Amino acid sequence: MSDDPTSRLRAAFDPEQFRVEGHRVIDDLADYLSTSLQRESDAVLPWKDPTQQVAEIAPFGEEPSESLSNAVADVLQRALRQHDPRCMGHQDAVPLPAAALATLVASLLNNDPSTYEIAPGAVALERRILRWTMDEIGYPE
């Protein structure tokens, strides 16, 4: 990779690289979800001592795509499988895949919905969801 800051910045925001990496990450997550739901993993929590976890996890390299793939694989291997039917006892809600995808959209846009001018779409969606929730509860208009 070039040492030119402009070319490094362009590479970091390359849409095709994002597409390739995004498909790879989604495929990895879908495989993880399938393995968890089918109870194909050995353990719900692949426990190791924290010091051992840090020593074993893949370090980031010079090429972002390679290091991202390695990091995702490592994190998925070491994750608590909340989608596994045998998982119980934690207070975290099991995330829906659709919610994870919505979070991906929100993360890439990074539009803070605190004001309409910054995130008109997110603010409008939030108002609709709040109205739907209030209707479901029975709150008046």
Side-chain angles (χ1 to χ4, degrees):
M1 185 176 289
S2 171
D3 285 337
D4 174 34
T6 303
S7 65
R8 290 177 67 93
L9 188 60
R10 283 195 180 122
F13 288 96
D14 178 39
E16 285 309 309
Q17 184 66 24
F18 177 74
R19 185 182 320 279
V20 169
E21 287 302 310
H23 284 284
R24 186 178 300 155
V25 168
I26 295 296
D27 286 346
D28 289 347
L29 288 171
D31 291 345
Y32 165 84
L33 186 60
S34 177
T35 299
S36 295
L37 290 171
Q38 299 301 318
R39 299 174 56 175
E40 294 172 3
S41 58
D42 292 335
V44 172
L45 177 61
W47 177 259
K48 290 184 180 179
D49 180 85
T51 305
Q52 185 181 1
Q53 292 275 25
V54 171
E56 291 177 0
I57 202 150
F60 280 95
E62 202 48 41
E63 296 298 320
S65 63
E66 182 181 313
S67 58
L68 176 62
S69 298
N70 292 341
V72 168
D74 271 356
V75 168
L76 292 178
Q77 269 186 331
R78 300 163 196 285
L80 168 65
R81 295 180 175 275
Q82 291 189 49
H83 297 88
D84 188 310
R86 298 170 294 176
C87 184
M88 33 193 248
H90 272 267
Q91 299 163 353
D92 298 332
V94 178
L96 290 170
L101 293 175
T103 300
L104 170 65
V105 173
S107 293
L108 181 69
L109 296 178
N110 196 27
N111 289 176
D112 178 6
S114 61
T115 65
Y116 182 79
E117 293 78 17
I118 296 172
V123 169
L125 180 60
E126 181 178 56
R127 289 182 64 90
R128 295 283 286 176
I129 291 170
L130 286 171
R131 182 70 260 160
W132 173 82
T133 303
M134 291 189 308
D135 289 346
E136 288 295 307
I137 293 171
Y139 288 157
E141 193 68 36

